[in-house]
Amino acid sequence: MTTPIVFFPKPIPSTAPEPSSRQSRRNQIRRQRGQALSHEQMTAADAIAIELAGTQRPWTSEDHAADVAMVVRIAIRSARRRGVRLESLLSIPRERLLTLCEEGDPTCLVVRDWLLGNLAHIPDGFEASFSSATAADREDA
């Protein structure tokens, strides 16, 4: 018994241009002009490249909200896995959480108080479920 061999067709070459590799600003200017740059021109091109690379965009409210969401997400995940306590957080997210608390972020304040066992910010009616969940988590650890 033999099996027929099916050959795949040859690939069609793409007409899309090849992506250019990243170049320094100096090499881009040199390639545009088609000539070598003098020392002063290379220094000026390097200064422009450093200036463009060094500029940071301003911190927006969306950036702050994303940062807070990330820290809270890590805190909740750590609390589920390691128990509801501040020490369950890894050191870098814990420092970021405490920094945001010092800045006065209300979400981080609630999460910090939750991890510390403080019931000050817990809404009425949730104290019993919070304290029983915290006690169960601490017994498991």
Side-chain angles (χ1 to χ4, degrees), residues 12-83:
I12 301 170
S14 174
T15 58
E18 291 284 324
S20 62
S21 63
R22 292 189 174 187
Q23 306 172 21
S24 68
R25 181 74 178 141
R26 179 183 349 147
N27 291 341
Q28 289 176 356
I29 293 171
R30 191 181 291 170
R31 185 167 288 175
Q32 288 173 356
R33 293 183 183 166
Q35 59 188 2
L37 298 177
S38 68
H39 179 70
E40 294 81 18
Q41 290 171 328
M42 287 193 306
T43 306
D46 288 341
I48 291 171
I50 290 171
E51 184 179 320
L52 290 175
T55 53
Q56 297 178 351
R57 73 183 173 97
W59 189 258
T60 63
S61 60
E62 289 89 18
D63 294 334
H64 179 75
D67 187 39
V68 169
M70 179 186 63
V71 170
V72 168
R73 188 179 313 121
I74 292 171
I76 292 172
R77 186 176 61 218
S78 295
R80 283 183 183 166
R81 292 180 179 176
R82 299 178 177 182

